[in-house]
Amino acid sequence: MSEQHISVPEYIERGSRRRQKRGRRSLLRIALTIFFLLTAFGAMTFGAWNLLLERGHAYTFFAGSQTFYHGDRVFDLEAPALLRHGSILIPAKALETVEGLSVSWQSETRSVVLEKEGLRLAFPIDQKRMVVNGEIQDADCAAFVQDQHAYIPVAAVFAKLGFAVEYTDSAMRLDLFPADEKISRLSPPSISTRTFMPKGKKGGLSLGFL
C-alpha cells in the first residue's frame, strides 16, 4: 500500500476549505437564530399592536399602580390605585380625564359627586353605598379618604356610565370597555375573570363568571 504524500500548499488549502465550511455553517446557524428571534418578536409586537387597536377607548387600571391607560394613552394618578374587598379604588380626581365627567366634593354630606349628561353619582365617605340620581344603591366597597385623597370604586362609576367592566383576579387588573364598542380580547381561559354589566339606567350590577 503506497503512502500518499500531500504537499504543504495543498495541506494548507484543504485546511482553509474546512475552516470556510465550518464558518459557513456557523453563519447559517446564526442567521437562522436571528430569523426565528425576529419572527417571534414580530409576532408578539403585531399581537400587542393588534390588541391595542382592538382596545379602542378602553380604560385599564392595576391595583398598586400609579398610572392608568386609556386606549394607547398613559395617565398618572395622584396616588396608587388600591384593592379593597375585591374592588379597585382610585383617587376621584383622576376621573376628571373622562370626557364630559365633572368631579366635585360636597362637604355637607362628605361625598364625592360625579356628574355627566343627566347622571349624578354621589359616594358618601365610609359608607358602603352610592346615590344614583337621588336613589340610594348598595356599593361593593365604601369610598374613603387616605392621605388627603378621596378614593372611590372605579368599576361602579364606569358601570353606571354604560361600560362593560372586567376584573382579572390574577393580575389585579380592571378593564373598562364602552358597551357599544366591539372588543375581541385575547385572554387565556385559565385566568379567572369577573364581568360586570349594567342592567339598565336604574339597575344595579350583575355578576357573572367567564
Side-chain angles (χ1 to χ4, degrees):
M1 187 173 180
S2 60
E3 184 179 353
Q4 185 179 5
H5 295 281
I6 302 175
S7 62
V8 173
E10 187 178 355
Y11 176 80
I12 294 175
E13 184 179 352
R14 287 187 180 182
S16 177
R17 283 198 298 267
R18 285 194 296 269
R19 285 193 296 272
Q20 288 176 1
K21 189 179 293 185
R22 286 196 297 268
R24 284 194 296 268
R25 285 198 295 266
S26 297
L27 287 174
L28 180 61
R29 284 195 295 268
I30 293 172
L32 287 173
T33 301
I34 293 174
F35 172 77
F36 285 121
L37 287 174
L38 289 176
T39 301
F41 177 76
M44 288 188 294
T45 303
F46 176 78
W49 177 248
N50 188 48
L51 184 58
L52 183 63
L53 291 177
E54 289 173 345
R55 285 179 49 75
H57 297 90
Y59 289 82
T60 299
F61 296 86
F62 291 90
S65 175
Q66 204 162 333
T67 58
F68 70 95
Y69 303 86
H70 179 203
D72 60 347
R73 301 174 65 188
V74 182
F75 296 87
D76 291 327
L77 294 170
E78 291 185 329
L82 301 176
L83 182 67
R84 285 196 176 182
H85 308 294
S87 297
I88 290 182
L89 297 95
I90 63 169
K93 191 174 181 180
L95 294 178
E96 291 178 344
T97 59
V98 178
E99 185 177 358
L101 183 68
S102 66
V103 182
S104 59
W105 170 256
Q106 193 173 64
S107 56
E108 295 83 3
T109 59
R110 296 190 72 243
S111 301
V112 177
V113 178
L114 303 97
E115 295 180 281
K116 181 181 181 181
E117 298 174 355
L119 176 66
R120 187 178 192 273
L121 300 176
F123 291 88
I125 297 300
D126 296 327
Q127 297 183 36
K128 202 174 179 181
R129 64 179 185 174
M130 57 184 174
V131 184
V132 184
N133 290 339
E135 178 185 341
I136 298 176
Q137 297 183 10
D138 292 333
D140 292 329
C141 185
F144 61 89
V145 175
Q146 178 172 301
D147 298 328
Q148 298 184 335
H149 297 293
Y151 280 82
I152 59 175
V154 65
V157 175
F158 277 88
K160 291 303 179 184
L161 292 175
F163 281 65
V165 182
E166 296 184 355
Y167 178 67
T168 305
D169 292 307
S170 59
M172 294 190 296
R173 167 179 173 161
L174 185 65
D175 289 296
L176 309 147
F177 302 104
D180 58 350
E181 192 171 280
K182 186 178 180 181
I183 300 295
S184 174
R185 297 190 310 113
L186 304 177
S187 59
S190 59
I191 291 180
S192 173
T193 305
R194 289 184 289 159
T195 302
F196 304 80
M197 286 292 292
K199 286 182 177 178
K201 292 183 179 179
K202 294 185 179 180
L205 302 180
S206 61
L207 175 62
F209 289 88
L210 294 181

